[in-house]
C-alpha cells in the first residue's frame, strides 16, 4: 500500500503543476483571442462608419433638396405655365411632388424611421393642400387662379410650412450623425 501511495503522490507531483499550467495557458489564450476578436470587430465597425456616414449624409442632403423642391414657394413658380387651367396645374403640381418623392424612395434605407415618416407626411400634406385649394375653383379656370390661391395660402398660413418643419428635422438629425456617428 505504501508503494501505491508513493506512486500516486509521484504522479500527482507531475500532473497537478501540468494541469495548473494548462489552465493558465487556456485562460491567457482565451483572453488573447477575445481581445483580438474585439479589435477586429472595432476595426470593421470603423471601416463601416467610413462608408455609411457619407451615404447617410448624402441621403439627408437629397431629402433636404426634396423638401426645398416641393416647398410651395419654389414649386408653384417652377411648374406654372400661363396656358394651363386649374385641373392641369393641379395635376402637374401633384405629379411633380410624387415624381420627386419616387426619385428619392431609396433614401429611406439610410435615414431614421422618424425622418422618413416626416418626409412622407409632408408629401401627403402638400398634395392635400393642392387638392383642397383646387377643389374650390372651377377646373376650367385659368391656372393663375389656383396659383394665386395657393400663394395666398402659403403667405397667410400661421406657423411654419410643413416643408420648413421637415427641413429642420432633417438638419437636426444630420448634425447628430456628424457629431455622434451613425448610432445617433
Amino acid at each position: 500500500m505504501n508503494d501505491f501511495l508513493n506512486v500516486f503522490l509521484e504522479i500527482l507531483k507531475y500532473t497537478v503543476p501540468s494541469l495548473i499550467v494548462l489552465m493558465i495557458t487556456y485562460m491567457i489564450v482565451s483572453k488573447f483571442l477575445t481581445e483580438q476578436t474585439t479589435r477586429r470587430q472595432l476595426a470593421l465597425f470603423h471601416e463601416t462608419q467610413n462608408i455609411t456616414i457619407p451615404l447617410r449624409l448624402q441621403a439627408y442632403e437629397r431629402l433636404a433638396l426634396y423638401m426645398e423642391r416641393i416647398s410651395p414657394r419654389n414649386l408653384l413658380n417652377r411648374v406654372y405655365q400661363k396656358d394651363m387651367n386649374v385641373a392641369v396645374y393641379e395635376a402637374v403640381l401633384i405629379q411633380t411632388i410624387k415624381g420627386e418623392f419616387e426619385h428619392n424612395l431609396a433614401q429611406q434605407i439610410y435615414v431614421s424611421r422618424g425622418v422618413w415618416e416626416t418626409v412622407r407626411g409632408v408629401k401627403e400634406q402638400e398634395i392635400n393642400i393642392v387638392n383642397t385649394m383646387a377643389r374650390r375653383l372651377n377646373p376650367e379656370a385659368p391656372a393663375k387662379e389656383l396659383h394665386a390661391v395657393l400663394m395666398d395660402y402659403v403667405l397667410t398660413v400661421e406657423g411654419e410650412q410643413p416643408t420648413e418643419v421637415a427641413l429642420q428635422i432633417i438638419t437636426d438629425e444630420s448634425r447628430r450623425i456628424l457629431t455622434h456617428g451613425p448610432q445617433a
Side-chain angles (χ1 to χ4, degrees), residues 86 89-90 93 130 133-134 137 142-150:
V86 168
Y89 188 43
E90 174 188 16
L93 286 169
V130 171
M133 297 301 166
L137 303 171
K144 70 179 179 178
E145 290 183 24
L146 179 57
H147 183 77
V149 169
L150 287 168

Side-chain angles (χ1 to χ4, degrees), residues 38-56:
T38 303
R39 284 184 187 154
R40 285 185 185 147
Q41 287 174 340
L42 191 58
L44 182 62
F45 176 73
H46 286 297
E47 278 183 46
T48 304
Q49 272 189 332
N50 292 338
I51 295 168
T52 59
I53 288 177
L55 288 174
R56 288 186 74 185

